[in-house]
């Protein structure tokens, strides 16, 4: 038997304002996205098509790229201590890459979580989603899973948590196939906010035919220094800089 503990208050609902639009590779099946030192770093998925990329924001130009072994389905990534950490989907394995050369340096296993989906970090740990409502905290030295939290609103568990970003101490997570971002307290799992970004999908569909339930919103990157929030989707032709606004 088990019990479920719900949040004690309803999440704040956000909509958004588009600040800028930039080109994005329509062949990039985005799984991980991160801003670092003026550039975007991106991982893409699907077996035989998974890549790690360094991207120029304004042009969308891929400046550096390396392919993942064709037997793996690449997932989320994050940069911690100047190393790129990259997950795979169902192989229960991740890889560590040199930030400058994109050379693979080591691999690590995750045996407690179900799969590999999204990845971000705080100052002391890697933070990982696995497609459920669980978020895992990984020791950056041993690369072992230490603990997990579960994401809940005041009404239900929030599953299908995908790409992650830590912003102002809160975990921002794409909710897979919902074209939404949920904002989670990493100490409790309480979902404090929900951002409805379905309008971005509609904006994309003005110029691009998207595959339903596949080419969805996925990818969150944050520029701390300039307070810029970037989002994109799988095979989307645009990267959006947006501002989240509380719904009145």
């Amino acid at each position: 038997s088990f019990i479920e503990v719900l949040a004690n208050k309803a999440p704040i609902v956000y909509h958004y304002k588009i600040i800028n639009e930039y080109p994005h590779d329509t062949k990039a099946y985005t799984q991980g996205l991160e801003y670092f030192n003026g550039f975007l770093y991106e991982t893409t998925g699907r077996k035989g098509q998974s890549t790690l990329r360094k991207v120029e924001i304004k042009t969308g130009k891929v400046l550096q790229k390396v392919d993942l072994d064709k037997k793996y389905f690449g997932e989320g990534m994050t940069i911690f201590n100047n190393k790129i950490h990259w997950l795979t989907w169902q192989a229960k394995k991740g890889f560590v890459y040199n930030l400058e050369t994109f050379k693979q340096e080591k691999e690590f296993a995750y045996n407690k979580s179900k799969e590999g989906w999204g990845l971000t970090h705080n100052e002391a740990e890697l933070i990982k989603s696995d497609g459920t409502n669980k978020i895992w905290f990984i020791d950056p030295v041993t690369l072992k899973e230490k603990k997990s939290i579960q994401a809940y609103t005041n009404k239900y568990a929030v599953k299908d948590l995908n790409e992650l970003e830590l912003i102002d101490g809160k975990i921002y997570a794409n909710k897979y196939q919902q074209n939404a971002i949920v904002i989670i307290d990493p100490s409790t799992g309480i979902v404090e906010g929900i951002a409805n970004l379905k309008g971005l999908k509609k904006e994309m569909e003005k110029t691009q035919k998207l595959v339903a339930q596949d080419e969805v919103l996925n990818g969150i990157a944050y520029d701390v220094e300039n307070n810029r929030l970037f989002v994109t989707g799988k095979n989307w032709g645009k990267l959006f800089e947006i501002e989240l606004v509380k719904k009145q």
Side-chain angles (χ1 to χ4, degrees):
S1 63
F2 66 95
I3 60 169
E4 292 185 292
V5 181
L6 302 178
N8 58 355
K9 58 184 176 181
I12 296 168
V13 177
Y14 294 86
H15 56 100
Y16 65 90
K17 181 166 60 176
I18 297 175
I19 306 299
N20 283 304
E21 298 178 8
Y22 303 105
H24 181 250
D25 185 1
T26 56
K27 293 182 175 63
Y29 193 75
T30 306
Q31 302 287 65
L33 195 68
E34 189 154 322
Y35 178 93
F36 188 80
N37 283 354
F39 298 94
L40 285 179
Y41 290 79
E42 182 174 21
T43 48
T44 69
R46 293 202 166 120
K47 284 187 178 179
Q49 301 175 37
S50 299
T51 60
L52 165 65
R53 304 156 173 234
K54 180 180 180 180
V55 180
E56 191 172 65
I57 294 174
K58 288 189 176 180
T59 65
K61 182 180 178 182
V62 178
L63 304 174
Q64 194 173 352
K65 184 172 82 167
V66 67
D67 295 330
L68 186 63
D69 189 304
K70 288 181 168 30
K71 66 184 176 182
Y72 296 117
F73 190 120
E75 281 282 349
M77 59 77 65
T78 196
I79 298 168
F80 185 85
N81 284 346
N82 289 316
K83 301 289 182 184
I84 297 168
H85 297 73
W86 186 8
L87 303 176
T88 62
W89 180 27
Q90 295 177 319
K92 291 190 174 290
K93 183 182 291 188
F95 299 99
V96 180
Y97 287 76
N98 183 286
L99 178 61
E100 301 299 326
T101 65
F102 278 15
K103 182 178 180 181
Q104 191 181 117
E105 295 184 344
K106 67 171 80 168
E107 61 180 59
F108 59 98
Y110 31 93
N111 300 311
K112 295 179 180 179
S113 55
K114 185 179 177 184
E115 294 173 345
W117 284 47
L119 195 65
T120 186
H121 68 273
N122 57 27
E123 292 181 353
E125 301 156 310
L126 304 180
I127 303 172
K128 173 186 177 295
S129 64
D130 67 359
T132 69
N133 72 319
K134 284 189 175 181
I135 292 177
W136 297 84
F137 295 82
I138 298 174
D139 185 300
V141 177
T142 65
L143 296 172
K144 300 293 185 185
E145 293 155 316
K146 301 192 303 181
K147 62 180 181 179
S148 66
I149 58 172
Q150 298 181 59
Y152 277 90
T153 68
N154 58 321
K155 294 182 178 178
Y156 53 84
V158 181
K159 60 180 183 177
D160 298 322
L161 299 175
N162 202 356
E163 217 273 303
L164 304 178
E165 184 78 12
L166 193 78
I167 302 175
D168 294 331
K170 305 295 182 182
I171 298 170
Y172 284 55
N174 281 125
K175 188 168 177 1
Y176 181 52
Q177 296 183 330
Q178 296 298 308
N179 297 292
I181 290 174
V182 295
I183 303 170
I184 303 164
D185 184 329
S187 62
T188 63
I190 290 174
V191 176
E192 297 184 340
I194 297 177
N196 182 351
L197 303 183
K198 290 179 181 177
L200 291 180
K201 174 177 172 284
K202 292 178 182 176
E203 185 67 26
M204 283 306 312
E205 288 176 325
K206 291 178 182 178
T207 56
Q208 181 180 349
K209 183 175 174 59
L210 299 177
V211 178
Q213 302 305 306
D214 183 31
E215 294 178 340
V216 294
L217 184 84
N218 201 49
I220 311 167
Y222 184 60
D223 172 6
V224 177
E225 187 177 340
N226 299 297
N227 189 29
R228 294 188 295 171
L229 176 62
F230 302 100
V231 296
T232 190
K234 298 172 184 288
N235 297 336
W236 285 18
K238 290 181 180 179
L239 170 83
F240 294 95
E241 179 189 340
I242 64 170
E243 178 185 333
L244 296 185
V245 182
K246 288 183 183 180
K247 195 169 182 179
Q248 300 301 318

